[in-house]
Amino acid sequence: MVGLLGRTRAQSPRRPSTAHHERGPHDGKHRHGPSNGLRSAIGGRSVAGQVFVLQVVIVLLLVVAAVVALILQVRHDSTQEARNRSLAVAETFANAPGTRAALDAPHPTALLQPSAEAARKASDVDFIVVMNTDAIRYTHPKPDRIGKKFIGTTAPVLAGHSVTEKVDGTLGPLVQATVPVEAPDGRVVGMVSAGITTKNVGGAADHQLPLLLGTAAVALALATTSTALVSRRLLRQTHGLGPYEMTRMYEHHDAVLHSVREGVIIVGAEGELLLANDEANRLLGLPADAEGQHVQRLGLDPGTAELLASGRVATDEVHLVGEQLLAVNQRPTHLRGGPVGSVATLRDSTELRALSGRADIARERLGLLYDAGVRIGTSLDVTTTAEELTAVTVPRFADFVTVDLADAVLNGQEPDAGTGLRRTAYGGIREDAPLYPVGEHIGFIPSSPQAHSLRTGKAVVEPDLGGAPGWLAQDPQRTARVVDYGIHSLITVPLRVGPRVMGVVNFWRSEKPGPFDGDDLALAEELVARAAVSIDNARRYTREHTMAVTLQRSLLPRTLPDQNALDLAYRYLPAQAGVGGDWFDVLPLPGARVAVVVGDVVGHGLLAAATMGRLRTAVHNFSALDLPPDELLALLDELVGRIDQDELPEDRAAVTGATCVYAVYDPTTRRCTVARAGHPPPAVIRPDGSVEFPDVPAGPPLGLGGLPFETAELELEEGSRLVLYTDGLVEDRKRDIDVGLELLRTALAGADRSPEDICQAVLNALLPARPSDDIALIVARTRVLDADRIASWDVPPEPAAVGEVRASVSRQLARWGLDEMAFTTELILSELVTNAIRYGNGPIEVRMLLDRALICEVFDGSSTSPHLRYAATTDEGGRGLFLVARLTDRWGTRYTPGGKVIWAEQPLP
């Protein structure tokens, strides 16, 4: 401790005043420069000098010990190397080719002596001796030793083992290895010994001895120099202070150490407590005999004890000790040459931590409000917005959150003043809470907090649900289960925008033991206020969307008309984001024909829906004129142009971009005439299941004006399916129209499927999760009017031909079993044929069709159209068409490239 304090004192820029007046008798010598100080240190007249002498002696002893150890190690290594080399040479020679054979020869020495000598010189050993099993030498470096007894152990060798040993041989002390020479059957037929004399073994160590001694001398010189430098540094750091000055320094440091209002603890390398000042004893509650004990045995909390024992670096690390929060800073003491250990300072930060905790809570609540502003109201759906509120607040603010809304709000209407609400959203840390489930209609009793919030428009806090009789009376069995479940506190906040209260939000607490307080209430009100605006926006959107959908559906056909030409199925799906302008229709035409039309108005909302209704009405009116598809689209194009130019306000987008496809199918000829205006092409499924997209000229979108439309005629076999659709089915933001058409082709492929099955298959394959555009789809399977239900006659342009027509008609009606209709039909056709002969041009043709009604048609080559009028009493004519109109359900005229057709329909009996 004195060394630590002394080092701290020496590093201070100022010195105590007593140090100038109380130096020892030798202190003056330190002022004569570094050389005098060093001589003083070496002379042993100071602590530094004594340290110098002691270190020199220790270094000398270490160097001597190291030299002796190195010599012994070298000798040992040399001996071991001699053993290994002797054994290797002996085994190599014993196993060499010819050694065993030479032993069996009449004169082994003559064969083995030259080889042994050559091997000895090559392998750097002193001898290689080959002997028989009686240990009689056959070879030796000295020829006079041949034939004499071998000196060494041979019994283990004769047993088949190798022997390495030290002996006094004929060459003197040596290390030798003896190995057996074995026959193929394992029998020992001789022995080989190789060895090195002791003087050669120790030679390597003797050669290295000068180097070792030189190295030791250099190490001693370096150690002495470094010791002198260390002593000089020690002398400089102590500044020559005497014992009295050191004592005064210790007293000053001790006084400061124990008077500061911050705990100081010094821990040794083994975790033992070396020093603790008074503040540290107070903060940690250390026992009186704490110093010297391991910090793990001082009764500290595990976290604090682990930190102090580990010695790791810590900066303002907070630990709870009793009821105090201590900020601990710890650093090791050996970073700048000090003793191994650590020093820690302790500061009571309980009040600071409390302030910091309140700041953290405020920051968390601000973060919650920010997240609520970002994550609530991402969609214009009331239920989704309520669910977003629960997702944001659980578990950050409450353990369970429920949202109850009036049914009128869910339907987009203004909320009523009642207390009956429907649970719309639920969120919680668990799913098994005994609260009312989502979807249940709840009638809150007047004493409940929810009813109070609905009446007053103010939030209510129930800190203790177990002692809240008004809430407990709502549903005694359920509320008892809620309390038993652990839910103990409630905040009920009304969902209010202006004077409108749309419902309530309930925040429930179960995990935290404390109840909701005033700060929680303020935060809950802020959260609900933000969510209420989003829910009200979603309610308004729901109302407008419902109105638009209602308008749109009212403008679309509710049922398809009865007809025999097509077997029909359709699907219509409005967009999720808003009502669009997609529409479709099926229009029966004269002559058993049927028109199918599908259109799309660009844009969404009420304007698109209203424009769609106008276009559909226009198509109805134009189809009554029985116009060809290209002429009908030309009239629609002109209508859309007028709407864009004259009827839209300046701040509204034009309708230009509306598309349409119009197809007319004739079951008597199996021909389908198609024209389209910027619309996706129709698809045709042949009876064999193959799919094709006929080449129908696209034409410009409606509203551009001035460009003609073209038609295409398709011949459809009976059982073919004509598919018309809008672009919302095949195109969206993630899919190009070409990809959509290929998917549509795949979904349509297949034979023997009804139109209903085809519609469902197409939607399953192509319908996106949230359609961004309306989708209209209609599938029509073609039928053919049988030939026996069609009768036609060519009529010559002569008045006498009328009688023949009447006779033919009577006969045909008899075949159809319609004799009772003969008189009326003959009268109708007589008038129509007479008009054609009198006012028209040839050729003239009469055709009757038996469908859902009896259809009579008269073709002629004139383009003039007859008109119904009231004939005066003095007029001779003008009553024929009047009679036709009174005798039929409907009649009319349609034009063909070769003239016109006058038709009339009669109901079947």
Side-chain angles (χ1 to χ4, degrees):
M1 180 60 196
V2 171
L4 177 62
L5 295 177
R7 187 163 53 254
T8 305
R9 176 65 183 89
Q11 294 170 354
S12 175
R14 300 181 59 189
R15 300 175 59 182
S17 58
T18 55
H20 296 286
H21 303 286
E22 301 179 7
R23 294 186 179 272
H26 305 291
D27 292 342
K29 296 181 181 180
H30 297 303
R31 299 191 184 96
H32 298 301
S35 60
N36 291 335
L38 181 60
R39 286 194 298 270
S40 176
I42 296 175
R45 293 187 296 270
S46 65
V47 175
Q50 295 175 4
V51 170
F52 172 76
V53 174
L54 180 61
Q55 287 185 344
V56 169
V57 172
I58 292 174
V59 169
L60 181 61
L61 293 176
L62 290 176
V63 169
V64 172
V67 170
V68 173
L70 285 173
I71 293 174
L72 294 177
Q73 182 64 38
V74 169
R75 289 185 178 277
H76 175 270
D77 292 345
S78 299
T79 302
Q80 186 63 34
E81 195 273 337
R83 289 174 177 269
N84 295 338
R85 190 193 307 173
S86 300
L87 180 61
V89 171
E91 289 180 344
T92 302
F93 195 86
N95 295 320
T99 300
R100 185 179 57 79
L103 290 172
D104 295 334
H107 301 286
T109 300
L111 298 176
L112 294 173
Q113 178 68 9
S115 301
E117 285 302 299
R120 177 182 67 80
K121 295 176 181 178
S123 59
D124 198 20
V125 296
D126 289 331
F127 67 90
I128 297 178
V129 175
V130 183
M131 66 199 85
N132 60 13
T133 55
D134 296 326
I136 302 300
R137 301 188 186 100
Y138 288 146
T139 65
H140 198 276
K142 295 181 179 182
D144 59 340
R145 301 294 194 270
I146 297 175
K148 295 183 179 181
K149 188 76 170 182
F150 171 73
I151 300 174
T153 304
T154 59
V157 180
L158 295 175
H161 303 289
S162 298
V163 175
T164 302
E165 58 186 342
K166 286 184 178 182
V167 298
D168 289 330
T170 58
L171 300 179
L174 50 83
V175 177
Q176 67 180 14
T178 307
V179 300
V181 179
E182 297 180 347
D185 57 359
R187 180 172 48 84
V188 177
V189 297
M191 296 178 287
V192 176
S193 178
I196 302 175
T197 59
T198 303
K199 63 178 182 179
N200 291 333
V201 171
D206 295 338
H207 292 312
Q208 295 181 13
L209 184 58
L211 178 61
L212 292 175
L213 292 177
T215 303
V218 172
L220 181 60
L222 292 175
T224 303
T225 302
S226 62
T227 302
L229 294 176
V230 170
S231 298
R232 179 180 177 180
R233 180 177 179 82
L234 179 61
L235 184 65
R236 183 170 61 251
Q237 289 190 348
T238 58
H239 292 280
L241 295 177
Y244 180 74
E245 290 175 311
M246 297 292 290
T247 302
R248 288 293 303 270
M249 183 184 298
Y250 175 80
E251 291 175 350
H252 290 165
H253 280 255
D254 189 64
V256 172
L257 183 67
H258 292 286
S259 62
V260 296
R261 298 301 298 168
E262 188 169 289
V264 178
I265 286 183
I266 299 178
V267 180
E270 302 299 326
E272 69 278 8
L273 178 63
L274 300 180
L275 175 68
N277 68 349
D278 294 342
E279 183 68 7
N281 283 283
R282 184 186 70 82
L283 293 176
L284 297 178
L286 298 176
D289 58 346
E291 293 188 3
Q293 297 189 40
H294 197 279
V295 293
Q296 297 280 14
R297 295 191 289 271
L298 296 178
L300 303 176
D301 69 283
T304 306
E306 185 275 331
L307 173 62
L308 296 176
S310 67
R312 59 181 172 85
V313 175
T315 301
D316 290 333
E317 189 171 308
V318 178
H319 288 263
L320 179 62
V321 178
E323 297 181 354
Q324 302 175 102
L325 287 173
L326 302 183
V328 182
N329 290 273
Q330 182 168 269
R331 297 292 185 274
T333 58
H334 61 275
L335 295 180
R336 298 184 180 180
V340 178
S342 61
V343 58
T345 61
L346 312 173
R347 185 174 66 256
D348 190 354
S349 62
T350 305
E351 295 183 0
L352 180 63
R353 186 65 177 177
L355 294 174
S356 176
R358 287 194 290 270
D360 290 342
I361 293 174
R363 184 166 55 253
E364 290 177 1
R365 292 187 172 184
L366 287 175
L368 178 59
L369 290 175
Y370 172 79
D371 290 343
V374 173
R375 295 170 54 186
I376 298 176
T378 59
S379 68
L380 291 173
D381 181 76
V382 174
T383 302
T384 301
T385 305
E387 291 172 348
E388 290 171 346
L389 172 61
T390 64
V392 168
T393 52
V394 175
R396 297 169 64 180
F397 177 67
D399 299 318
F400 301 93
V401 177
T402 56
V403 181
D404 305 325
L405 298 175
D407 288 333
V409 174
L410 296 173
N411 297 328
Q413 305 301 318
E414 293 286 342
D416 51 27
T419 58
L421 304 177
R422 187 172 301 277
R423 179 133 301 171
T424 306
Y426 164 87
I429 57 176
R430 291 183 296 273
E431 297 295 330
D432 58 346
L435 301 170
Y436 287 111
V438 173
E440 184 164 341
H441 189 274
I442 308 171
F444 292 105
I445 63 175
S447 64
S448 66
Q450 291 84 357
H452 180 78
S453 293
L454 292 173
R455 286 193 308 270
T456 63
K458 297 181 180 179
V460 176
V461 179
E462 287 290 353
D464 182 14
L465 292 178
W471 176 79
L472 292 172
Q474 168 67 32
D475 184 349
Q477 292 183 350
R478 183 179 295 275
T479 53
R481 285 190 290 131
V482 170
V483 173
D484 293 340
Y485 186 78
I487 298 176
H488 58 81
S489 186
L490 165 68
I491 294 179
T492 295
V493 184
L495 270 164
R496 181 166 56 105
V497 176
R500 292 188 302 274
V501 178
M502 299 176 289
V504 293
V505 180
N506 306 296
F507 300 94
W508 313 82
R509 175 173 287 181
S510 64
E511 294 296 313
K512 294 182 179 180
F516 286 117
D517 56 19
D519 292 339
D520 296 325
L521 176 61
L523 178 59
E525 289 178 329
E526 181 66 23
L527 288 170
V528 174
R530 298 191 179 196
V533 175
S534 298
I535 290 177
D536 190 55
N537 290 338
R539 179 191 65 81
R540 293 173 181 271
Y541 172 79
T542 301
R543 180 184 60 190
E544 295 179 2
H545 183 73
T546 303
M547 291 172 58
V549 170
T550 303
L551 172 62
Q552 186 182 41
R553 292 195 179 278
S554 68
L555 297 175
L556 291 172
R558 298 184 179 180
T559 59
L560 297 182
D562 295 331
Q563 42 80 36
N564 290 336
L566 298 172
D567 182 11
L568 295 164
Y570 69 93
R571 295 290 188 275
Y572 179 81
L573 299 174
Q576 293 288 337
V579 175
D582 291 12
W583 56 281
F584 67 94
D585 213 339
V586 177
L587 308 169
L589 299 178
R593 296 169 303 135
V594 177
V596 181
V597 59
V598 172
D600 184 4
V601 176
V602 173
H604 294 84
L606 292 175
L607 178 63
T611 304
M612 174 269 290
R614 298 178 68 176
L615 292 182
R616 177 170 175 258
T617 302
V619 170
H620 266 273
N621 295 333
F622 295 151
S623 67
L625 300 177
D626 208 352
L627 298 173
D630 55 339
E631 295 183 19
L632 186 142
L633 292 183
L635 293 176
L636 281 181
D637 180 61
E638 182 180 355
L639 172 64
V640 172
R642 288 201 305 269
I643 294 175
D644 283 347
Q645 296 174 7
D646 304 331
E647 301 184 21
L648 284 178
E650 294 181 357
D651 58 342
R652 303 298 290 271
V655 186
T656 302
T659 64
C660 181
V661 59
Y662 187 82
V664 178
Y665 174 69
D666 188 346
T668 63
T669 62
R670 295 186 291 106
R671 291 188 176 276
C672 182
T673 306
V674 185
R676 63 188 179 113
H679 203 81
V684 174
I685 309 173
R686 298 297 181 182
D688 61 358
S690 62
V691 180
E692 63 182 38
F693 292 95
D695 185 14
V696 179
L702 299 176
L704 294 181
L707 298 176
F709 296 95
E710 300 179 57
T711 61
E713 282 215 358
L714 312 176
E715 186 169 347
L716 304 178
E717 302 92 334
E718 184 177 8
S720 298
R721 282 142 292 180
L722 179 67
V723 182
L724 304 181
Y725 53 92
T726 55
D727 59 356
L729 181 67
V730 294
E731 184 180 16
D732 60 20
R733 298 174 182 174
K734 300 180 180 179
R735 182 175 61 204
D736 188 71
I737 188 170
D738 292 334
V739 177
L741 290 177
E742 286 303 315
L743 292 175
L744 178 62
R745 182 193 300 273
T746 302
L748 293 176
D752 300 329
R753 287 195 299 173
S754 68
E756 281 289 340
D757 294 338
I758 294 174
C759 286
Q760 193 59 46
V762 169
L763 293 184
N764 292 340
L766 281 82
L767 183 65
R770 290 184 61 85
S772 58
D773 195 5
D774 291 5
I775 294 175
L777 170 67
I778 187 165
V779 179
R781 180 167 55 191
T782 61
R783 298 173 180 170
V784 176
L785 191 62
D786 296 336
D788 60 356
R789 288 178 169 264
I790 304 174
S792 61
W793 303 272
D794 293 328
V795 180
E798 300 174 356
V802 177
E804 297 178 2
V805 171
R806 296 177 64 176
S808 299
V809 168
S810 297
R811 288 192 297 270
Q812 184 62 45
L813 291 176
R815 283 193 292 269
W816 286 344
L818 300 175
D819 298 276
E820 66 271 23
M821 299 181 65
F823 176 76
T824 304
T825 305
E826 289 176 5
L827 181 58
I828 292 171
L829 285 176
S830 296
E831 292 297 332
L832 296 180
V833 171
T834 300
N835 282 341
I837 294 174
R838 179 176 299 179
Y839 304 109
N841 300 324
I844 301 173
E845 181 185 354
V846 174
R847 188 173 73 164
M848 285 198 312
L849 305 176
L850 180 58
D851 194 37
R852 289 182 174 269
L854 180 63
I855 303 170
C856 299
E857 298 177 335
V858 177
F859 299 80
D860 70 79
S862 173
S863 60
T864 59
S865 175
H867 298 283
L868 182 65
R869 64 186 177 86
Y870 287 98
T873 56
T874 58
D875 291 341
E876 294 183 1
R879 298 177 178 83
L881 289 180
F882 183 79
L883 291 174
V884 171
R886 296 299 300 267
L887 296 174
T888 60
D889 273 356
R890 59 177 186 153
W891 71 281
T893 304
R894 75 173 183 270
Y895 295 93
T896 67
K900 66 176 183 297
V901 178
I902 302 176
W903 54 270
E905 289 185 5
Q906 303 175 71
L908 297 177

